[in-house]
Structure formats: structure tokens, C-alpha cells
Amino acid sequence: MQDFFALPRHELEGLCERLELPLIHAKTLFRAVYKEGLKALSAPPSLPQRLRQTLEDGYACNEASIAKESCSRYDGTVKFLIRLSDGSLVESVLMPEKKRITLCISSQVGCAQACTFCYTGRMGLKRQMSAGEIVAQVWLASQWIAQHPEWLAERDFPSFTKLSNIVFMGMGEPLDNVQEVSRALHILSDPWGLNLALRKISVSTAGHLEGMAVLLKEFPDLSLALSLHATTERERSQLMPINRRWPIGEVLSFLRAHYETRAKDRSLLIQYTVIRGVNDGERHARELIELLVGLPVKVNLIPLNEVEPSRFQGPEPGSLEAFRDRLHEAGLRVMVRYSKGQDIEAACGQLVIKNTPSSDRADRALPS
Ligand code: SF4
């Protein structure tokens, strides 16, 4: 059986063509599955019998399901534990805000990058997620929102009834799985399906230069977030081994060249997790400013979430403010972002499947 969630609409149109049927049926099917939430592919009454039979014989939506959901008492954030069809578990996180509803999704089961402060990295890479599994997370969250109107009513956010933004910031390095992520982007942004504009989808990377080149060639206006976390090659290589393969200087040069060709309103999001005594000093602020010269950036400073006692700690409030002010005075757009869903371990850096034996040894979690 082929996974319907992994099929871009143009491939469905190819199927209609082979069956000598009008292409409109592909649109009808996309709308039924993604907008109306139907998983029975042959259900739409307007589909011709020949197409129904072909779908029944060869296609099905993958069986990813919500194994567990946890809702934050403080900010309404919902963490989903998603069981994939082979039993693997990943997490996605739904975050309601005044002006948007964002879903943070995973792209790999575990991660190969082994950043020293990250729980997910300590899991190692279990396997890649398919495009269909990536899309299924979004489909499941969309259905969950539709079935829980009280969730939004309680938050007093009457103007939003569906997902508006997607961030690839859950488990995994998305650009280590770039072909499947790219396929998923085509499906998620299809106007007959979930219709999420590419500008509303953000892919976060620890600095995977090869994957960036592939993805930005195909989706030049995609929003990109770069997890920086350190300001020198040596310090970044210690925190993030990926820096040994693709030094941050090379990554930023590539991005400078890319943004020179884009419209003025496109910008790169820099994620900088502030860790006490590691990257929160005056020197680090100065070096960060120098690193970002010539790039259209927004900087998010994320105080490290302390999940449990560890050698890494969140910053003192005073040093965080001083760091932010220093960047601000240099003319950078900077915000301090406090993670949501901390009481349900859904905040930045807390995504990990707890029954993974090696995760017990993790110092800190910070999926990129
Ligand atoms: S921070 Fe991101 S890239 Fe690094 S190990 Fe964690 S999930 Fe992987």
C-alpha cells in the first residue's frame, strides 16, 4: 500500500491521468482528506468507480496516531506523543497564541547530531521519518483542534480555528532528512490541502549546509531558523559537533549570499539558547554582533530550560537582560523567548522519548 499522506497532489493528478479521468478528482480527494478530515479515501461520493477501486487496492493513509496528549495548565500548550505505524514514538507540540496557532513537528526519530546539551541528540538516530509521517503529525493536530473547540474557547482566541504556522523544531535535524522534508513541504503548502503558506513554515537547522543548499534552491522563500548557540568556531564545535563538518563561518557566508538575492522583508531567525557561564558574557554578545553583520536577522534569545540538575544552567536574569540590551543597542532585532509548555516538558529542549535508555544520561534537551 502506498501512503496517501506522502503523495503530493501532482502525483495524484498523474494517477488520474493514467486512469483517463479529469484531474479535478485529485483536488477533490486532497480537500476531503486535508480539509474535511476523511481518511477513507474512496468516501467522497463524486469519485468515479475506477478511481475508488484503484485507491482501495493501492493506497491508504499511514496509521500514525496520538498515543498520549498533555495540556499545559498555564499556557494551553499541548504536547502529543505520536505513535508511528512501526511503534516508534515522536513528539509534536501545539502552541496557541493571540495571533497564531503553531505546531512544532519532528522530522526524525531521534537525531544523529549529538549536540552536547540535547536530550534528543543523546537518543541517537533511530530512523528517518517519511514525508507521510511528517504530514500525519499536522493532519492529526488539525483534527484534534477541530474536535476540541473548548481548547480555543478557554483561551479566548476566537479568531483562530485552525493551524496557522508550522515549525520544524521538534525531534531531529530536518536537513539530515531533506528529501522527505521537501516532499512534506509540497503537501503541507498545497492550496487544496492544508494550505499553509511557505512563509508560515519555518525549518530549523543546526547548520546543515548541504541540506540548506538543497532546500533553499527548491523553496527560496522558506523561513529558515539557524540554531547558533555559540560565537566562535572552537566553542561551537564543542557544543555542536556539526560545526566541525560545516563551520559556522561557511554557513553564514552561504546565508549572506542567499539573502542578498531575496526580497528585503525576508529574514533569517537566529536561535541562541543562553547558558549561564557558557555563552552569556559581554564577549559573547560582542562576537555575536560581529558574526551577524550583513545578515537580515531576528534573534531569539532562549533562556536554557533546566529540565533536571545538570552541568548546564539557565542564565541569571541580570545577565540575560544585559545580553539582550547589548544586541539591541547594536541595532539587532532581538527578543527573549520564554518556552511554552514547561510544566508538560514540551518546551524547547525538553522533547525526548523517556523510555529510550540512553536519554537518561542526557544533560539537556534542545531540539533544533
Ligand atoms: S539540538 Fe537539534 S540538531 Fe542538535 S542533537 Fe538536538 S535535535 Fe539534533
Side-chain angles (χ1 to χ4, degrees):
M1 282 279 174
Q2 279 203 57
D3 182 4
F4 182 88
F5 282 144
L7 285 185
R9 181 163 49 85
H10 70 264
E11 291 190 13
L12 272 178
E13 289 173 345
L15 176 67
C16 292
E17 235 163 25
R18 287 196 295 284
L19 295 171
E20 298 180 348
L21 293 169
L23 305 190
I24 186 72
H25 296 306
K27 290 178 178 162
T28 304
L29 202 49
F30 241 60
R31 195 177 50 213
V33 171
Y34 292 111
K35 290 204 194 309
E36 294 156 25
L38 280 180
K39 262 180 127 180
L41 299 179
S42 58
S46 62
L47 292 187
Q49 182 54 31
R50 241 179 321 150
L51 182 54
R52 281 168 195 276
Q53 198 56 55
T54 307
L55 291 167
E56 264 179 33
D57 293 345
Y59 297 82
C61 296
N62 75 61
E63 288 304 317
S65 60
I66 297 175
K68 185 179 170 197
E69 63 192 53
S70 321
C71 188
S72 166
R73 278 172 291 148
Y74 304 119
D75 56 29
T77 295
V78 184
K79 181 170 77 170
F80 300 116
L81 185 65
I82 308 285
R83 191 186 312 283
L84 305 178
S85 38
D86 68 347
S88 299
L89 297 168
V90 295
E91 290 179 327
S92 51
V93 181
L94 191 58
M95 295 167 283
E97 289 174 275
K98 281 269 178 235
K99 295 188 177 166
R100 60 190 169 195
I101 299 176
T102 302
L103 182 70
C104 172
I105 58 177
S106 297
S107 54
Q108 297 180 305
V109 183
C111 182
Q113 294 303 332
C115 300
T116 51
F117 44 72
C118 177
Y119 274 125
T120 311
R122 297 293 182 95
M123 287 172 67
L125 178 65
K126 304 297 175 194
R127 71 168 174 85
Q128 301 288 9
M129 288 175 70
S130 69
E133 290 171 334
I134 294 169
V135 169
Q137 294 173 87
V138 185
W139 187 90
L140 286 166
S142 298
Q143 295 314 305
W144 188 92
I145 294 171
Q147 290 157 11
H148 293 79
E150 77 288 353
W151 175 68
L152 285 175
E154 282 167 13
R155 314 258 90 74
D156 194 24
F157 295 159
S159 57
F160 279 90
T161 54
K162 61 189 180 76
L163 277 179
S164 58
N165 294 66
I166 301 289
V167 293
F168 282 76
M169 295 184 188
M171 296 171 68
E173 161 57 60
L175 299 184
D176 251 350
N177 189 15
V178 70
Q179 298 304 338
E180 297 302 305
V181 167
S182 158
R183 197 173 177 82
L185 288 173
H186 281 292
I187 299 164
L188 295 174
S189 59
D190 193 296
W192 288 84
L194 291 157
N195 194 21
L196 291 151
L198 285 171
R199 283 170 173 248
K200 303 280 184 182
I201 303 177
S202 180
V203 174
S204 175
T205 177
H208 195 298
L209 187 49
E210 208 171 275
M212 260 182 248
V214 171
L215 206 65
L216 289 177
K217 188 169 178 201
E218 197 168 0
F219 304 100
D221 283 324
L222 186 73
S223 299
L224 204 66
L226 176 66
S227 297
L228 198 54
H229 308 321
T231 55
T232 66
E233 299 290 358
R234 186 180 57 81
E235 288 170 354
R236 193 164 189 273
S237 293
Q238 282 169 357
L239 278 181
M240 306 174 77
I242 195 172
N243 198 71
R244 294 177 203 146
R245 179 150 182 212
W246 291 296
I248 195 60
E250 282 179 28
V251 171
L252 293 174
S253 297
F254 169 85
L255 289 169
R256 249 179 222 107
H258 171 75
Y259 282 97
E260 270 170 19
T261 68
R262 308 317 310 157
K264 292 282 171 251
D265 65 337
R266 304 308 294 147
S267 60
L268 170 69
L269 179 66
I270 298 290
Q271 301 183 104
Y272 190 92
T273 294
V274 188
I275 309 172
R276 188 184 307 180
V278 172
N279 64 4
D280 64 343
E282 156 63 24
R283 167 179 73 82
H284 301 105
R286 193 176 64 246
E287 289 171 348
L288 183 56
I289 294 162
E290 285 164 13
L291 267 184
L292 299 179
V293 166
L295 270 166
V297 291
K298 289 184 199 162
V299 182
N300 276 354
L301 299 178
I302 308 158
L304 182 83
N305 290 306
E306 294 184 33
V307 181
E308 59 190 39
S310 117
R311 68 190 170 100
F312 293 119
Q313 293 176 297
E316 301 278 8
S319 69
L320 180 63
E321 277 169 30
F323 199 94
R324 179 203 56 200
D325 292 348
R326 182 79 176 78
L327 266 50
H328 186 69
E329 283 157 16
L332 289 170
R333 286 181 291 173
V334 56
M335 278 190 69
V336 174
R337 302 283 294 193
Y338 291 95
S339 295
K340 291 173 164 289
Q342 297 196 21
D343 57 323
I344 53 168
E345 299 190 355
C348 286
Q350 294 181 332
L351 296 186
V352 68
I353 302 305
K354 286 283 173 68
N355 60 5
T356 302
S358 60
S359 69
D360 295 338
R361 301 193 309 271
D363 287 311
R364 183 61 46 211
L366 185 77
S368 59

